[in-house]
Amino acid sequence: MNSTRNKQFINGHWIEALDRQQLPLIDPSSEQLIMHFSYGNAEDAAIAVDAAHLAFKSWSKTTPYLRAEILKKAADYLRQNLDAIAHDMVLESGKPLLEARGEWTVAANLFEWYAEEAKRANGKVIPSSRADKRSSVIWQPMGVIGIITAWNFPAYNPARAWAAALAAGCTVVAKPSEFTPLSAYHLTDALVHAGLPAGVLNLLIADAASVGEFLLDDGRVKKISFTGSTRVGKILMDGASRTNTKLSLELGGNAPVIIFDDVQVDAVAKVASIARFRNNGQVCIAPQRFYIHQNIFKQFAELVSKYVSELKVGNGFEEGVNLGPLITSKQRDSVYTLLETARAEGAEILTGGIKPANLAKGYFIEPAVVTNIDQTSILAKHEIFGPVMPLFPFTDLNDALAKANDTECGLAAYVFTNNLKTAILASEGLEFGIVGINEWAPHGTELPFGGWKQSGQGHESGSEGLYEYMEKKLISIGGIA
Ligand code: ADP
């Protein structure tokens, strides 16, 4: 382990949680103890909000140019320390080293991109309907932001929200997942090293429910930005009415992938077998429900089973590993339960779905390909968040769209075709906030990322992500006769 941290970071100091509680951090590859870390609760959140509230007075008055200098230095720190911080991410999350390095690079890019973007938060002057008035609109930082994030992207999830909120001039009380504290310590160290003033970012690894309730009750917290399950998103929506806490929600997905019969089947099957299992399927935009045109269904199923069975499962530090372990035994067991339910529905598992024979310890599952199921299956209805690839046949565009849209989720969808008309009609007909056409990575620092339906509210990344942390103000000046 490279991080020397294990405490909370509040008002510029690394301190123990007030009640001195500690939790163990477990390596999901070996099931061995990595360390113990300080685990706080609402009492720690209270002093963190005090610090953030006080710091907002001066941080909100800084120029975006000064904030940019700090964020860019933090980005440089992440790039310079890539080996060490990627190592710790693999240790705590189990993901393959290459994926961890890629994720940290994107986290650094987010700091840099928002450093630049905040300089362009232009307002506007509106021609007045009255000769004696002048009207303009400006953007101002919201205030203290609570940022609660999930473990699946231990650097990307927090970096995306922290960078935008800090660049906007807000102060932050961050509560990342207790399963991945090391990455959060590194992100904090980067900002501290870059000269972020005390109180501007406060880090709690803490009891989620009590901290969440505290943040919702405290009127000084103007917004909660949340990345996680739809279940918790709904708890936050219920609580938000108490002090009108604004919310940005990145919730669950259940992404359809529609593959038409005009594609090069082998090439698409090969890349699909990688894309589906990136980060072990623990991705909210993970391609999940594979709708394959009936003319190529059998061929696609055979090819994809072959490619998936060739994927290497193992410790993320090992060369050539495609899939690490799932994050916890609970997450692994939930995937087994989904597979058992599917089996009872009559599903056929073409490959995988079992513990790898060569790995005695760790929360590993062989990646699975499943057929002989329909829209009523648990694998169509439920976000899997694990290494299972269910395949469903479809007949034509309308059939594919009806099946793809048959979900409460609306985050991402994917379409593969060489027919321009099909691509346009499919992209317009899909009820999702993000549509990838002939590509598996429809996201980027500069692009708006957000879900329709029950997948969320608001956007992260892109310029939209910046304005999530700013309020619009109309200034009307009268008496100019
Ligand atoms: P996942 O299933 O992806 O872990 P969760 O929604 O359970 O998603 O967790 C995402 C984040 O939300 C984590 O930081 C977790 O600690 C936090 N969380 C869990 N329960 C609550 C809650 N009741 N209120 C606020 N945050 C919560």
Side-chain angles (χ1 to χ4, degrees):
M1 190 181 65
N2 291 299
S3 176
T4 53
R5 306 293 182 200
N6 74 343
K7 297 193 172 71
Q8 322 267 320
F9 186 72
I10 299 177
N11 205 16
H13 301 286
W14 290 96
I15 53 173
E16 284 288 348
L18 289 172
D19 75 356
R20 310 250 142 201
Q21 201 189 343
Q22 297 216 324
L23 279 191
L25 180 64
I26 303 296
D27 172 356
S29 290
S30 65
E31 302 179 41
Q32 298 288 308
L33 177 72
I34 300 171
M35 64 185 289
H36 280 89
F37 58 89
S38 185
Y39 187 66
N41 57 35
E43 287 183 9
D44 305 278
I47 54 170
V49 173
D50 286 346
H53 182 64
L54 188 64
F56 181 72
K57 288 187 177 41
S58 46
W59 183 248
S60 58
K61 301 278 188 309
T62 57
T63 66
Y65 287 82
L66 182 136
R67 301 196 291 270
E69 267 176 42
I70 295 176
L71 288 170
K72 282 200 258 184
K73 274 190 201 148
D76 289 343
Y77 176 96
L78 296 177
R79 290 173 184 136
Q80 283 154 11
N81 290 280
L82 188 59
D83 288 342
I85 61 184
H87 174 279
D88 282 358
M89 186 187 283
V90 176
L91 194 63
E92 65 182 355
S93 74
K95 65 178 66 184
L97 186 57
L98 261 183
E99 287 188 25
R101 291 180 70 89
E103 185 179 336
W104 275 117
T105 302
V106 174
N109 293 346
L110 280 161
F111 278 174
E112 185 173 295
W113 197 84
Y114 277 113
E116 290 303 322
E117 190 64 5
K119 296 174 187 172
R120 300 184 238 296
N122 301 333
K124 62 179 174 182
V125 175
I126 300 169
S128 180
S129 58
R130 285 182 44 164
D132 62 342
K133 285 195 185 189
R134 300 291 182 274
S135 315
S136 58
V137 170
I138 61 166
W139 290 97
Q140 289 188 304
M142 271 184 173
V144 178
I145 311 291
I147 299 181
I148 302 176
T149 43
W151 44 266
N152 59 334
F153 289 103
Y156 172 76
N157 289 341
R160 189 168 64 164
W162 296 12
L166 294 174
C170 294
T171 55
V172 171
V173 174
K175 205 236 51 85
S177 168
E178 67 271 26
F179 300 122
T180 53
L182 298 178
S183 296
Y185 299 145
H186 285 306
L187 270 182
T188 305
D189 269 334
L191 288 162
V192 173
H193 177 85
L196 195 74
V200 175
L201 175 92
N202 303 275
L203 177 72
L204 305 168
I205 308 292
D207 176 67
S210 70
V211 170
E213 292 303 313
F214 179 86
L215 296 177
L216 289 167
D217 279 333
D218 193 319
R220 294 172 301 173
V221 179
K222 300 299 181 219
K223 177 167 219 173
I224 293 183
S225 163
F226 173 77
T227 308
S229 61
T230 303
R231 180 186 70 82
V232 175
K234 288 183 180 188
I235 294 175
L236 296 175
M237 279 186 259
D238 283 344
S241 65
R242 298 205 289 268
T243 60
N244 191 19
T245 314
K246 306 264 170 37
L247 297 174
S248 280
L249 303 172
E250 295 297 347
L251 308 178
N254 181 354
V257 184
I258 306 175
I259 302 179
F260 287 89
D261 61 351
D262 59 47
V263 301
Q264 291 191 337
V265 183
D266 185 73
V268 176
K270 194 168 192 173
V271 189
S273 71
I274 300 285
R276 168 61 188 130
F277 299 102
R278 184 171 72 95
N279 202 21
N280 234 320
Q282 303 170 124
V283 182
C284 49
I285 61 163
Q288 169 168 322
R289 293 173 289 141
F290 280 74
Y291 294 107
I292 316 297
H293 193 280
Q294 60 185 7
N295 293 346
I296 57 168
F297 187 85
K298 192 161 172 289
Q299 185 192 3
F300 185 89
E302 280 168 14
L303 283 166
V304 94
S305 299
K306 175 171 100 64
Y307 290 127
V308 170
S309 65
E310 288 166 3
L311 295 175
K312 188 171 168 192
V313 182
N315 190 306
F317 288 115
E318 251 178 64
E319 189 81 23
V321 158
N322 301 103
L323 289 87
L326 294 169
I327 188 77
T328 56
S329 57
K330 185 169 165 230
Q331 190 67 22
R332 175 201 55 197
D333 294 345
S334 79
V335 175
Y336 279 142
T337 305
L338 289 175
L339 281 170
E340 270 162 37
T341 309
R343 248 192 223 103
E345 292 167 352
E348 190 183 346
I349 299 181
L350 300 182
T351 184
I354 52 170
K355 186 169 179 62
N358 59 331
L359 295 165
K361 288 278 184 192
Y363 313 130
F364 297 99
I365 302 183
E366 292 277 5
V369 178
V370 182
T371 58
N372 208 27
I373 42 175
D374 62 20
Q375 284 300 101
T376 62
S377 168
I378 187 92
L379 299 183
K381 298 275 168 230
H382 195 90
E383 183 182 28
I384 299 172
F385 233 62
V388 179
M389 181 186 219
L391 309 180
F392 310 83
F394 73 88
T395 52
D396 58 18
L397 174 64
N398 285 340
D399 182 37
L401 287 179
K403 287 173 172 161
N405 289 334
D406 177 22
T407 170
E408 291 167 346
C409 297
L411 188 52
Y414 303 82
V415 178
F416 288 82
T417 179
N418 286 312
N419 183 312
L420 184 62
K421 184 173 140 189
T422 305
I424 291 172
L425 291 176
S427 61
E428 291 173 355
L430 285 162
E431 297 162 359
F432 294 80
I434 301 167
V435 177
I437 303 286
N438 296 333
E439 76 134 328
W440 298 100
H443 54 82
T445 311
E446 72 285 10
L447 303 175
F449 183 108
W452 289 14
K453 299 201 227 170
Q454 296 195 26
S455 286
Q457 288 182 20
H459 286 86
E460 299 274 8
S461 70
S463 54
E464 286 87 345
L466 181 72
Y467 294 108
E468 290 287 334
Y469 302 104
M470 302 187 97
E471 291 278 23
K472 210 181 248 184
K473 181 182 281 175
L474 165 68
I475 300 173
S476 179
I477 306 172
I480 312 171

